[in-house]
């Protein structure tokens, strides 16, 4: 298959994988209230945790991350560029899923999954920075923002400019999706980890 075929196909497959709303599916199967009606209204793992179902939150985190990893691995048969495009597609699919009128999650777990598929040490750095920031601040959103900013810097420092560029784009999108959280952080009204 030619590169001209692989690249758009990688983006489309990535988008379709990324757009599967696992948080919403799992909470519905478990019989909890509509995830979009509680907490932040987000379909990601942090909001699933607000249902009080830690197992569901962990499953959502894992499955959302796997969307990014699987998309990258599948597309990697078409080369590094196809793999990166699939990762971008998965991220866009999670943020703007066609099934939910383009209102999806904020992309943290998918970001990690994409990094696992493309260059796993960057995923370790992301998670380590997230964890350290979370322990200090107890803000999930702040932790995600700090980790996402640190990741492209790490990738550039270690000689991966193409991955750093992709990571920077994902970071910009992630910051955009966290704009309400940023406003609440500045106002001192952002909920902390463990709060419903």
């Amino acid at each position: 298959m030619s590169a001209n075929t692989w690249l758009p196909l990688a983006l489309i497959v990535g988008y379709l994988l990324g757009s599967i709303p696992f948080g919403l599916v799992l909470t519905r199967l478990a019989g909890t209230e509509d995830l979009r009606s509680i907490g932040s209204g987000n379909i990601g793992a942090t909001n699933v945790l607000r249902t009080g179902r830690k197992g569901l939150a962990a499953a959502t985190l894992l499955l959302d991350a796997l969307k990014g990893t699987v998309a990258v691995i599948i597309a990697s048969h078409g080369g590094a560029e196809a793999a990166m495009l699939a990762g971008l597609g998965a991220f866009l699919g999670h943020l703007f899923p066609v099934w939910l009128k383009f209102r999806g999650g904020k992309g943290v777990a998918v970001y990690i999954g994409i990094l696992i598929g493309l260059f796993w040490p960057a995923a370790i750095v992301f998670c380590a920075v997230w964890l350290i920031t979370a322990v200090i601040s107890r803000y999930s959103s702040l932790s995600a923002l700090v980790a996402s900013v640190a990741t492209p810097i790490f990738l550039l420092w270690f000689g991966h400019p193409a991955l750093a560029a992709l990571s920077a784009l994902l970071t910009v999108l992630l910051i955009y999706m966290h704009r309400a959280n940023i406003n609440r952080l500045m106002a001192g009204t952002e909920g902390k980890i463990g709060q419903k």
Side-chain angles (χ1 to χ4, degrees):
M1 192 179 293
S2 69
N4 288 339
T5 306
W6 260 114
L7 298 183
L9 185 60
L11 188 65
I12 292 167
V13 170
Y15 176 85
L16 292 175
L17 281 170
S19 66
I20 302 170
F22 283 116
L24 190 59
V25 171
L26 291 175
T27 50
R28 280 190 176 174
L29 289 174
T32 68
E33 59 190 302
D34 191 323
L35 192 58
R36 294 166 293 181
S37 69
I38 64 171
S40 65
N42 189 261
I43 63 168
T46 300
N47 208 39
V48 174
L49 188 60
R50 293 188 177 104
T51 67
R53 306 287 291 273
K54 293 181 180 178
L56 286 181
T60 300
L61 180 67
L62 176 62
L63 290 170
D64 280 349
L66 281 174
K67 293 190 297 190
T69 306
V70 170
V72 167
I73 291 172
I74 291 173
S76 66
H77 296 290
E81 192 175 352
M84 288 191 289
L85 270 177
L88 175 60
F91 198 73
L92 292 172
H94 183 75
L95 268 53
F96 311 109
V98 64
W99 329 111
L100 300 178
K101 299 179 180 178
F102 304 102
R103 297 182 63 183
K106 295 181 180 176
V108 179
V110 183
Y111 197 147
I112 295 168
I114 292 165
L115 292 173
I116 291 171
L118 291 173
F119 185 63
W120 64 264
I124 299 296
V125 168
F126 187 107
C127 293
V129 173
W130 188 98
L131 185 60
I132 292 167
T133 309
V135 168
I136 294 170
S137 70
R138 304 240 358 250
Y139 288 117
S140 177
S141 56
L142 180 62
S143 303
L145 292 166
V146 173
S148 70
V149 169
T151 301
I153 296 170
F154 167 80
L155 286 166
L156 192 60
W157 183 269
F158 279 86
H160 297 281
L163 291 182
L166 173 63
S167 177
L169 176 57
L170 300 186
T171 295
V172 169
L173 289 167
L174 188 142
I175 291 170
Y176 173 77
M177 298 304 293
H178 280 80
R179 59 197 184 281
N181 301 86
I182 293 169
N183 289 335
R184 288 193 296 270
L185 284 166
M186 294 175 69
T189 57
E190 176 76 332
K192 293 192 174 184
I193 296 170
Q195 289 181 342
K196 288 193 177 183

